[in-house]
């Protein structure tokens, strides 16, 4: 098993997944990694929905795909590549994003990360669930499974939460489509670290980098 730093540095968004089943034993390890995360006041208001039912996944994929057509696709075609990327790489990213859009429901297992966060969640609500989400992404990588942190469905959050049967006061924050990857892990494309680290005051270079 790779060490933690290797796991983090090769944990790419794995959007091309095989439909082959993933043993429950591995999914349970991933869920445990999620539950080990911190939450504000250790309140643990998370709920993790394991979704395998093809009909449920397909219903959600319809919204996920609609959002690609409405916002994500047009944004990719008009925006500049992010730091550490280039036009060719960005084009490949968009192709992978489109692939996942079309095959979202074919991932054998989804983990939907939800929070019982009340009717009007505030600005910090997500901080009590995204640690768990990241732990689960890292656990997938450590086990050789592919996943991608996806939040696009929240563009139709009410509709999608209704498909999952969420009660009032609970919301889904991320969907992790999980499966065996078709491609390889890593390396990641990121900009230079020294461009995003300041010392003492915003904009002042951090001397150690
Ligand atoms: C908050 C958040 C939301 C994201 N939502 C989606 C999504 O809905 N669909 C998707 O394909 N990727 C999604 N991603 C994945 C990012 O696009 C991905 O992490 C980024 O491009 C870096 O990819 P890399 O880690 O492979 O370099 C999301 C990532 C984050 C952090």
């Amino acid at each position: 098993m790779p060490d933690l730093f290797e796991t983090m540095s090769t944990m790419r968004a794995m959007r091309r997944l095989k439909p082959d089943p993933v043993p429950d034993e591995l999914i349970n390890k991933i869920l445990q990694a999620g539950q080990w995360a911190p939450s504000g006041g250790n309140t643990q208001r998370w709920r993790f929905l394991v979704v395998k039912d093809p009909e449920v996944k397909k219903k959600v994929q319809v919204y996920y795909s609609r959002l690609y057509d409405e916002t994500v696709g047009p944004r990719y075609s008009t925006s500049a590549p992010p730091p550490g990327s280039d036009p060719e790489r960005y084009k490949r990213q968009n192709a992978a994003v489109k692939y996942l859009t079309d095959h979202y429901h074919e991932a054998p297992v989804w983990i939907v990360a939800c929070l019982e966060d009340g009717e009007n969640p505030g600005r910090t609500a997500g901080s009590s669930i995204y640690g768990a989400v990241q732990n689960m992404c890292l656990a997938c990588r450590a086990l050789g499974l592919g996943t991608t942190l996806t939040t696009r469905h929240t563009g139709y959050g009410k509709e999608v939460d209704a498909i999952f049967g969420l009660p009032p006061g609970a919301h889904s924050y991320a969907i992790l489509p999980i499966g065996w990857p078709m491609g390889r892990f890593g390396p990641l494309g990121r900009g230079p670290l020294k461009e995003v680290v300041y010392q003492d005051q915003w904009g002042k270079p951090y001397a150690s980098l």
Side-chain angles (χ1 to χ4, degrees):
M1 202 174 279
D3 85 353
L4 180 60
F5 284 86
E6 195 192 334
T7 303
M8 288 191 290
S9 65
T10 58
M11 197 196 75
R12 280 175 49 208
M14 301 301 274
R15 297 189 174 93
R16 291 187 170 86
L17 302 170
K18 298 175 186 169
D20 310 20
V22 174
D24 285 345
E25 187 201 337
L26 298 185
I27 295 300
N28 296 349
K29 279 190 160 181
I30 295 163
L31 291 163
Q32 180 60 82
Q35 202 208 11
W36 279 330
S39 55
N42 198 21
T43 43
Q44 303 171 55
R45 293 205 184 99
W46 44 48
R47 296 290 180 270
F48 304 107
L49 202 57
V50 178
V51 180
K52 298 183 186 179
D53 185 334
E55 274 181 40
V56 173
K57 288 187 287 177
K58 180 63 201 174
K59 279 186 196 163
V60 175
Q61 187 267 347
V62 169
Y63 287 108
Y64 192 76
S65 180
R66 191 184 296 178
L67 284 156
Y68 183 89
D69 295 338
E70 289 173 353
T71 56
V72 178
R75 197 169 61 221
Y76 264 99
S77 54
T78 54
S79 58
S85 189
D86 57 47
E88 264 316 298
R89 197 170 174 153
Y90 198 41
K91 221 168 133 184
R92 286 202 301 276
Q93 181 178 322
N94 186 18
V97 167
K98 179 73 170 92
Y99 181 92
L100 179 62
T101 300
D102 295 339
H103 297 267
Y104 203 46
H105 53 300
E106 293 165 20
V109 188
W110 290 1
I111 295 178
V112 186
C114 308
L115 256 190
E116 289 198 303
D117 51 4
E119 294 296 338
N120 293 304
R123 185 174 169 184
T124 61
S127 52
S128 280
I129 188 72
Y130 287 123
V133 170
Q134 181 72 356
N135 269 11
M136 291 193 286
C137 291
L138 288 167
C140 286
R141 168 67 190 94
L143 295 168
L145 286 160
T147 194
T148 302
L149 195 176
T150 74
T151 61
R152 188 193 308 163
H153 73 281
T154 58
Y156 282 106
K158 267 192 187 157
E159 291 82 351
V160 171
D161 285 357
I163 294 169
F164 292 135
L166 265 61
H171 301 93
S172 63
Y173 277 73
I175 298 177
L176 300 182
I178 297 171
W180 298 107
M182 291 181 183
R184 293 189 187 174
F185 292 101
L188 301 174
R190 301 289 186 267
L193 181 59
K194 67 172 190 268
E195 286 182 10
V196 296
V197 185
Y198 303 143
Q199 183 165 342
D200 299 326
Q201 294 276 302
W202 183 278
K204 279 183 70 181
Y206 171 57
S208 292
L209 282 170

